[in-house]
């Protein structure tokens, strides 16, 4: 017999029912996605709405509330990192006029926390709050290369999803690419997510020398040689690292 779910577990399951594909849910949908009986879901949703973690619109659909966003901005890898990075991301955008991204690792995923969109730049499939597998993006390769061995093994041993014919799906090749990223200090993801885009990324270091994030620029695969962007991406990453307390090297 399964143990009864705790109140905290029920609260978290309701919040976890929302994601990028499901930003708005009815009470019935919340009940189903959170695996809660409808009366239980009603009580939990009512409590979360009263506190401000959820908001209910005029047609009865629920959304994540501003109070939860306000608390989330206190995460040290969230708003503080974005504020430190934004001037350098803006400089990188002004230099390239291409899509600029800032991301952190969350488990075996890349989590994008900032993006500057180039109106005439190549289309990208990322947005703030989006998650992608580590093996298929420039920022992901940087973050994976500097992750613990256990994380690298877990990614390499698991399924490596292919998004295009160019996506790395061979674990032996992936390990070689990660070693090259560590040696060169940058990563190039060539048409791994879409057939028309290349991402060039570099690591952002914290004050103790650990990699906290990665910054990248995404450019058209056919018109922009990736190697020409390595210096400016590295420069932006170094600037963010210094802003976060990384000693000059």
């Amino acid at each position: 017999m399964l143990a009864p779910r705790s109140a905290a577990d029920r609260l978290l399951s309701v919040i976890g029912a929302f994601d990028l594909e499901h930003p708005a849910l009815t009470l019935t949908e919340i009940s189903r996605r959170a695996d809660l009986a409808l009366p239980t879901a009603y009580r939990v949703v009512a409590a979360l709405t009263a506190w401000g973690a959820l908001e209910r619109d005029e047609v009865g659909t629920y959304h994540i509330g501003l109070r939860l966003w306000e608390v989330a901005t206190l995460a040290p890898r969230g708003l503080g990192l974005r504020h430190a990075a934004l001037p350098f991301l803006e400089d990188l955008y002004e230099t390239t006029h291409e899509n600029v991204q800032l991301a952190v690792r969350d488990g075996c995923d890349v989590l994008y926390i900032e993006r500057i969109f180039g109106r005439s730049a190549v289309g990208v499939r990322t947005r703030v709050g989006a998650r992608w597998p580590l093996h298929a993006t420039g920022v992901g390769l940087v973050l994976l290369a500097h992750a613990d061995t256990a994380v690298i093994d877990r990614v390499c041993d698991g399924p490596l999803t292919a998004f295009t014919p160019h996506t790395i799906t061979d674990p032996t090749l992936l390990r070689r690419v990660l070693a090259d990223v560590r040696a060169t200090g940058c990563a190039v993801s060539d048409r791994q997510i879409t057939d028309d885009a290349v991402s060039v990324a570099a690591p952002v270091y914290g004050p103790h020398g650990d990699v906290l994030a990665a910054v990248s620029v995404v450019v058209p695969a056919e018109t922009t040689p990736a190697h020409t962007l390595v210096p400016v991406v590295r420069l932006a990453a170094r600037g963010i690292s210094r802003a976060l307390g990384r000693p000059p090297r």
Side-chain angles (χ1 to χ4, degrees), residues 69-93:
W69 174 84
E70 181 183 5
V71 173
T73 62
L74 301 175
R77 292 196 299 162
L79 191 62
L81 176 57
R82 290 171 67 189
H83 280 172
L86 195 55
F88 303 96
L89 300 179
E90 291 173 341
D91 287 347
L92 182 56
Y93 172 76

Side-chain angles (χ1 to χ4, degrees), residues 33-105:
R33 288 178 55 80
D35 193 22
L36 294 172
L38 192 59
T40 301
Y42 174 80
R43 291 193 298 272
V44 174
V45 166
L48 288 170
T49 303
W51 185 78
L54 297 180
E55 295 176 356
R56 186 175 184 269
D57 62 24
E58 62 278 2
V59 298
T61 302
Y62 291 89
H63 309 257
I64 293 296
L66 287 176
R67 181 77 181 275
L68 192 60
W69 174 84
E70 181 183 5
V71 173
T73 62
L74 301 175
R77 292 196 299 162
L79 191 62
L81 176 57
R82 290 171 67 189
H83 280 172
L86 195 55
F88 303 96
L89 300 179
E90 291 173 341
D91 287 347
L92 182 56
Y93 172 76
E94 290 299 327
T95 300
T96 63
H97 292 285
E98 302 287 356
N99 295 303
V100 173
Q101 302 174 140
L102 181 70
V104 297
R105 181 177 67 85

Side-chain angles (χ1 to χ4, degrees), residues 20-202:
L20 286 175
E21 284 72 41
H22 304 88
L25 296 170
T26 66
L27 180 61
T28 300
E29 290 168 335
I30 293 172
S31 171
R32 184 177 67 252
R33 288 178 55 80
D35 193 22
L36 294 172
L38 192 59
T40 301
Y42 174 80
R43 291 193 298 272
V44 174
V45 166
L48 288 170
T49 303
W51 185 78
L54 297 180
E55 295 176 356
R56 186 175 184 269
D57 62 24
E58 62 278 2
V59 298
T61 302
Y62 291 89
H63 309 257
I64 293 296
L66 287 176
R67 181 77 181 275
L68 192 60
W69 174 84
E70 181 183 5
V71 173
T73 62
L74 301 175
R77 292 196 299 162
L79 191 62
L81 176 57
R82 290 171 67 189
H83 280 172
L86 195 55
F88 303 96
L89 300 179
E90 291 173 341
D91 287 347
L92 182 56
Y93 172 76
E94 290 299 327
T95 300
T96 63
H97 292 285
E98 302 287 356
N99 295 303
V100 173
Q101 302 174 140
L102 181 70
V104 297
R105 181 177 67 85
D106 187 23
C108 292
D109 293 331
V110 166
L111 178 62
Y112 290 86
I113 63 172
E114 187 58 272
R115 173 189 166 196
I116 300 178
F117 176 70
R119 285 179 293 178
S120 60
V122 65
V124 295
R125 295 172 61 186
T126 58
R127 52 181 170 172
V128 173
R131 290 174 178 268
W132 283 88
L134 288 168
H135 72 280
T137 67
V139 287
L141 290 172
V142 166
L143 295 167
L144 182 57
H146 294 280
D148 295 338
T149 302
V151 175
I152 295 175
D153 290 342
R154 190 156 68 247
V155 171
C156 291
D157 292 344
L160 298 174
T161 303
F163 300 96
T164 74
H166 305 280
T167 307
I168 298 173
T169 56
D170 178 358
T172 301
L173 174 59
L174 179 57
R175 289 182 185 274
R176 288 202 299 266
V177 169
L178 297 177
D180 186 64
V181 171
R182 288 189 291 269
T184 63
C186 68
V188 176
S189 176
D190 184 2
R191 297 167 291 171
Q192 290 208 76
I193 296 294
T194 61
D195 285 315
D196 59 350
V198 173
S199 173
V200 180

